[in-house]
Amino acid sequence: MAGNWRRSIATGKGRIDGVGLPGRCWHRRGSALPGVLLAILVLSLLGAGLLSLSLVERQGAANDVKIIQATYLSEAGINLALARLRQDPGWREGLGETSLTGVQGYIQRVDISQQVLSYRLRSLAQVGGVQRAVEVDLARPLYTFALATAGDLDKQDKLIISGGDILALGDINNLKVVFGEDNIINVAAGGNLAVNGTLQGNAVAGRNLYVKGTIKGDATAGGVIYNKDKIYGNKFEGVSLTFPSFPDNLDAPFTNGLTLGKDTYTIEEIQAMVNNTGMTPAILYRQGDLTITAGHDNDHGNNNNNGNNNSNSNGNDHSTLYYYNGIAIIAASGSITLETSLLPASVGNAWAFIAGGDLNISGGTRLGGMFIDGGTFSKNDRGQESTINGSLVTRYVGAIDEGSYDTSGSNQEIRGNDNNNGNGQGNGNGEDKDNDHKIKGKIRITYDQNLVGSLAPYLNQGNWQILSWRVAALEQ
């Protein structure tokens, strides 16, 4: 249908009736603009969010790197402390703020706290404001105890510890010694521990703790504590405890030392060899058993009377003191027997005797050094007290000889003929028939930090075993 042309007189414009867009469309011009603006706003917000998320992820990645770096720095602090402890077992000062060359961040501090069985190292480090802490529990080296053994200890009235701590990975029974008020000694047993006397220090038992005497320090047990009212300090039961292991092949690190070709040496011969090595420490090694004697200065206690009443009595006099010089390790794959007193000439001199087998000392001897064996420790000559200044580490302590002898020489079973040939001739050989890994008479052991500290850097026996290593919470 054709439209009609019309002109408006007012405007001078015309239009054709019936031709054109519907009237409502003239009123919707610009209505899409809010939608477009809304879309732009949404896209802008999404873009800003994605950008923020990207920045957060980037910052998080940077923080992750700092966390890793700070953790590594904390571990470096632990390793620095370990190195110091291996050089000086008595070091307890810890480390202050420490920077490492070429490494971002710094170690804030390393603290050391001592427990009966272990030391705890805590290292705190910071990188770019991010802190991380690492804690490590270390088993005390066995030579940091006055007496350490893999077996049991019993009847401690024969083994007197007058200074230093005691560790038995087995049971400790009948701990009877009363320690002085100024002599704080800690005792630890991997099995059961029975305290009959007064213990000034702490007690630790891997299983049950029986208190028949008094414990003035803390008491910790993996099992049950009996008679808690006799404990002055804190009491902890049902605690999970980790004990160090006893090392094998004790002599193995020293097989390249200067060879000892004989099975018996005098102290003078050993000293000459130590002097001639020109090394610190001097290392001497015997493939087999080794005996060290006093030499020509020892008359072996022979008393001969060639009258009508003839008698011969062999009984070594070990009271003569011999002093040694230098830092030395004397090791043997078999047993070591010490028939003479041996003491350091002065502070800074220290010898260690390390036996892959047994270690035997004579009664009446005074010994200074470190004594380590992979077999059984024993002492002959009941009635003569022997002393050890330093440390004794033994796989097993010999059985206590319950004989009632109290005089020199009479402690042994006498193998000899009492022959009367008319002239009253008698032969009494004071030969010890029954020295099968027994403790005859008393032994007094006193821990000596100077001796141990001089030798510790060169020893690997039970040396700072790591019990646990973990990332720790930051202090509030």
Side-chain angles (χ1 to χ4, degrees), residues 20 66 83 93 150 155 209 214 342 368 436 465 475:
K66 291 178 182 178
E93 291 78 11
K155 301 186 184 304
L209 175 58
T214 302
L342 290 168
D436 297 333
Q465 299 174 38
E475 295 177 352

Side-chain angles (χ1 to χ4, degrees), residues 73-85 91-100 106-113 120-125:
L73 265 180
S74 296
E75 293 177 349
I78 295 292
N79 288 323
L80 287 174
L82 274 172
R84 289 289 299 273
L85 283 170
W91 177 70
R92 300 291 179 271
E93 291 78 11
L95 298 174
E97 186 173 307
T98 304
S99 298
L100 302 179
Y106 59 94
I107 301 167
Q108 291 181 271
R109 69 178 186 273
V110 180
D111 300 321
I112 305 176
S113 57
R120 176 164 295 174
L121 303 181
R122 178 183 172 85
S123 177
L124 180 66

